[in-house]
């Protein structure tokens, strides 16, 4: 588990507006119960200007990864978000969440 801290770990959630009502709860529970190791929180979506995204940024310091509409499909969104993270080169590990 020490490698999570040393190499940096990204906690990545991909979603669409259809499920935004559950996203806030997801990050609330992660911030409340995952206190063992710090995680950099990311949320990938094709609607980055949605009020839920603003709330995630403000309350949980979540970095929003904007996706193109053509990358909003299930697998395409994960690939695009992983490419976005890889381009920044800050994380040795990624925990992809659904």
């Amino acid at each position: 588990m020490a490698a999570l801290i040393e190499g940096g770990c990204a906690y990545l959630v991909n979603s669409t507006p259809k499920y935004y009502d559950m996203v806030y709860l997801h990050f609330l529970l992660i911030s409340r119960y995952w206190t063992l190791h710090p995680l950099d929180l990311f949320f990938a979506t094709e609607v980055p200007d949605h009020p839920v995204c603003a709330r995630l940024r403000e309350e949980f310091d979540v970095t929003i990864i904007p996706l193109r509409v053509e990358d909003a499909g299930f697998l395409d969104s994960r690939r695009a978000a992983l490419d976005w993270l890889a381009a920044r080169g800050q994380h040795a590990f990624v925990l992809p969440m659904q």
Side-chain angles (χ1 to χ4, degrees), residues 57-72:
R57 273 192 299 268
E58 293 168 14
E59 291 187 36
F60 307 114
D61 196 26
V62 174
T63 299
I64 306 300
I65 300 174
L67 300 176
R68 299 177 313 169
V69 173
E70 55 268 20
D71 288 333

Side-chain angles (χ1 to χ4, degrees), residues 1 5 14-15 17 23-24 30 34 36 40 42 46 50 54 61-62 67 69 75 77 87 90 93-96:
M1 292 297 274
I5 294 174
N14 288 67
S15 192
V23 170
Y24 177 81
I30 286 299
W34 182 272
L36 183 60
D40 293 329
F42 294 89
E46 71 274 19
H50 193 280
D61 196 26
V62 174
L67 300 176
V69 173
L75 293 177
S77 69
Q90 298 174 344
F93 303 96
V94 177
L95 294 173

Side-chain angles (χ1 to χ4, degrees), residues 24-45:
Y24 177 81
L25 178 60
H26 183 97
F27 281 105
L28 175 67
L29 294 173
I30 286 299
S31 68
R32 182 178 294 166
Y33 296 111
W34 182 272
T35 58
L36 183 60
H37 295 287
L39 294 171
D40 293 329
L41 304 176
F42 294 89
F43 180 58
T45 182

